[in-house]
Each structure stands twice: as structure tokens, then as C-alpha cells.
Amino acid sequence: MASNEFVVPERYEDLTPAPQVDQKTLNRMALRSYWLQSSFNYETMQSGGWLFAMIPGLEKVHTNKNDLAASMYHNLDFINTHPFLVTFVMGIVLSLEQNKVDTQTIRAVRISAASPLGGIGDALFWLTLVPITAGITSNMAIAGNIAAPIIFLVIFNLAQAACRFGLMNWSYRVGTGAIDALTANMQAFTRAASILGVFVVGCLTVTMGATQINLTIPNGTTRGLVAHTVVVSNEEAENFADLAVDTDTAEAGTIAMTDTEGAALTASDADGNAVETGIVDLGNGMSQVTYGEVTETPVSYSVASTLDSVLPKLVPLALVLLLYFLFAKKNFTPIKGIVLLLVIGILGSGCGIWPSIW
């Protein structure tokens, strides 16, 4: 039984280079790139969306129907690249198609140009643009600014639209030279973007991380001296004279009164604050008596205050480093990380380790 599988020729039938593709067609291709992953599958990944985006340009450069069929067929080959930077590859491939380069070369260039874009796109968008923009607009949203989510979406979509349309035009004009420009600076670019992304994550840890240990440990009591003032008769005021002490020997927190002549004395409370004490004759048979009362106040040791004095935001940093270790060394998925933080938060809040959110 004869096979009906289409065989892609090594060369096109019409080898005459096609005219330059107009700007309107390039814009249509860039616009169609938004549907790159609309028919995503595990056999050829993004090939369906890729061909859908390439069709306007292929129809312009291949007036020969057999050549168009061959081009459409091999453009359904496996491809997997960053969806925001895909137009970079589209422009290069369209340039090769326009010049009627052999099909095997086009296939090889498409794969070699598409592969590095995944890491570059992730560093550019998910590790740089999104953390910075989301961090700024999240603070705005927390402050009650209802425009914050709109600002985030506008910035994010303007950035990816600029990449799609800008790369479409630039790579089409430069052709295969764009690959050399990409690979020559790819390592330095991805490293710089990754460093910036790590810097932003660190900033977000400080500004957004509010987790703190809410433990207090009893640590005895402290004595204090509270001053009281009363007005009594002169006869009753003599009863207070028995409480008079010598301020030279009075310790902090000791009741201090006046001498028998009614002269005002002073003593210090537990915090070192001066407390005036004494009996003042008001001249109408009444006296104003000021005396101190010793109080004891429980003292507790705050773990949060101690940690803040050593290294503020130590707990959020520890949680971030824990997640990094689990992701890098234990092959944790983001879903597992979220579940772990949820469990830690619920158990810690229930046991009183974290501050209550209710």
C-alpha cells in the first residue's frame, strides 16, 4: 500500500527571491502570535499556533502553491519557545522563506533560534518585569489605590506588545544576523537579568514580608513608684509623717515622704524618674499630702523585638531561603511550596507563634 505522507522537498520549485513583505503583513503576523499556544500539544508543542501566525507572511512570499504547501508543512514541525519573544524567530524564518533558502536550513535555523529564547524570556519577564511591577502595584493596592491592578496589566501588556511588534520588524530586517547578535550577548544578558531579578525578590522580601515570631516569655517583675496627692486636715496629715524616710538612703521604687518639718523630699521610681513627695500646709487648716506607692509590673521578653534588633525581617528571609533550598535541591514544585507555607502559617497561628490575622 502506497504511503500518503507528504515529503518536503529540499528546495522550493520557485527559487526567485520574493519582494519585501509589507508592514501590514508583519503587523498581522505579530498580532497572530498572541495565539501561539492556542493549540498547544505534547507532540509538536506550539506548532499549530506558530503556523497560524506565519501564514500571512508565507502567502506573500510563496506564490507557487506547491512551495506554499511545502512551507506550511515543515512549519508544523516541533517548536517550543517563549510566547512573548516568538516574533524574533518569526522574522528570521520569514526572511529565509522570502529568499527561498533550502527547507532543511530553515528548519535548523528555526530550532536554533527558538531554543535560547525560553531562558531569556523568563529572565526578562518572570524574574524582572513581573516582580518589579507587581511589587510596586501591590503596595499601591494595599494602600487602597484601585488603579493598581489596572496599572500592572497596562505595563505588562505594553511591554510584551512592544517585544512582539518590535522584534518582528527588527529580526525580519536583520535576518540571520539577528541570531549572531542574540547569541553574542545572550549569556551576559541573562546573567544581568537574573541578578536584577534576585535583587528585586530580596527587596520584595523586605517590603512585603511581615511575618514575625509572636512569642513573649515571662521575665519576672519590675517595681515602680506612683505618686498620689490628697488634701487632708492638718491633724490627719501628721499620720503621714510616719512614712517619711531619708532620701539619701532611699532606693529606686521606695516610698518617699517628707520630714517632720513638712519639707518636700524627692525619690526616684524604677525608671529613674523623680517623684516629688511632701506635705504642704494650705493655710486653712488643710494640708496637701503627696506620697508614693510602690507598684510591681510583670516583665516579659519579646522574641520579635530581639530579632528586629539583630536582623530585621529575619523570619521572612528564612522562609524565602527555605523555599529556595526546596526548589533547588529537593525538586519542590511551586504548588508544594504554597501548600507548605499554608501549613506553616495555620499551625504557627494556631500555636501562637505567628501574630493572629483575625
Side-chain angles (χ1 to χ4, degrees):
M1 181 176 180
S3 175
N4 293 324
E5 182 180 357
F6 183 84
V7 177
V8 179
E10 292 186 4
R11 293 187 174 276
Y12 292 122
E13 295 179 1
D14 183 3
L15 297 179
T16 305
Q20 287 285 319
V21 176
D22 59 281
Q23 186 63 52
K24 182 179 179 180
T25 301
L26 295 178
N27 291 339
R28 287 182 61 198
M29 294 174 64
L31 187 62
R32 285 189 173 209
S33 69
Y34 280 93
W35 284 267
L36 177 69
Q37 303 194 103
S38 59
S39 62
F40 186 92
N41 63 84
Y42 289 103
E43 182 177 357
T44 58
M45 295 294 183
Q46 302 162 333
S47 62
W50 165 270
L51 178 59
F52 175 73
M54 288 292 298
I55 284 177
L58 296 180
E59 289 178 338
K60 288 287 185 178
V61 300
H62 293 299
T63 55
N64 183 302
K65 291 187 177 181
N66 292 333
D67 290 346
L68 179 61
S71 177
M72 291 176 64
Y73 190 87
H74 77 71
N75 270 285
L76 278 174
D77 286 347
F78 174 93
I79 186 170
N80 188 30
T81 189
H82 198 280
F84 300 162
L85 305 182
V86 65
T87 52
F88 174 83
V89 190
M90 291 171 58
I92 295 173
V93 171
L94 182 61
S95 176
L96 297 177
E97 295 279 3
Q98 176 192 333
N99 289 283
K100 307 300 176 66
V101 177
D102 62 274
T103 56
Q104 295 305 315
T105 299
I106 297 176
R107 283 174 156 175
V109 169
R110 179 172 62 244
I111 295 300
S112 62
S115 299
L117 294 183
I120 295 176
D122 289 344
L124 183 62
F125 285 92
W126 309 131
L127 296 180
T128 305
L129 177 65
V130 170
I132 294 175
T133 309
I136 295 174
T137 54
S138 294
N139 281 328
M140 294 171 60
I142 292 173
N145 191 333
I146 61 174
I150 300 175
I151 294 174
F152 170 79
L153 292 174
V154 168
I155 294 176
F156 178 76
N157 286 288
L158 282 178
Q160 66 156 311
C163 287
R164 290 180 189 272
F165 287 87
L167 289 176
M168 182 77 243
N169 287 273
W170 178 71
S171 62
Y172 173 66
R173 291 195 307 269
V174 177
T176 55
I179 300 179
D180 297 331
L182 173 69
T183 55
N185 302 288
M186 179 180 64
Q187 185 175 359
F189 174 80
T190 53
R191 177 175 173 79
S194 298
I195 292 174
L196 179 59
V198 171
F199 176 79
V200 171
V201 171
C203 293
L204 291 177
T205 301
V206 173
T207 58
M208 304 298 294
T211 306
Q212 186 54 279
I213 296 178
N214 194 38
L215 290 179
T216 55
I217 302 173
N219 191 28
T221 60
T222 181
R223 300 180 67 192
L225 186 62
V226 179
H228 297 282
T229 300
V230 295
V231 177
V232 296
S233 65
N234 291 338
E235 292 78 8
E236 293 176 332
E238 294 178 359
N239 297 328
F240 288 89
D242 296 335
L243 297 177
V245 296
D246 185 359
T247 56
D248 293 335
T249 59
E251 298 179 354
T254 301
I255 298 176
M257 280 302 300
T258 62
D259 58 17
T260 55
E261 301 298 326
L265 302 178
T266 60
S268 299
D269 60 15
D271 296 326
N273 300 316
V275 177
E276 293 284 347
T277 62
I279 301 175
V280 179
D281 190 346
L282 299 179
N284 57 355
M286 305 295 288
S287 294
Q288 178 179 288
V289 180
T290 302
Y291 64 95
E293 178 186 4
V294 175
T295 61
E296 289 192 357
T297 305
V299 177
S300 59
Y301 168 76
S302 173
V303 176
S305 298
T306 303
L307 291 179
D308 285 342
S309 64
V310 176
L311 180 62
K313 304 297 183 179
L314 177 61
V315 177
L317 175 62
L319 292 174
V320 171
L321 294 178
L322 171 64
L323 290 178
Y324 174 78
F325 171 77
L326 294 175
F327 291 151
K329 303 298 183 181
K330 301 299 181 181
N331 297 322
F332 248 52
T333 63
I335 297 299
K336 289 182 179 179
I338 293 172
V339 172
L340 176 63
L341 288 182
L342 182 63
V343 171
I344 292 175
I346 293 175
L347 293 179
S349 181
C351 297
I353 299 176
W354 316 126
S356 176
I357 61 174
W358 308 110

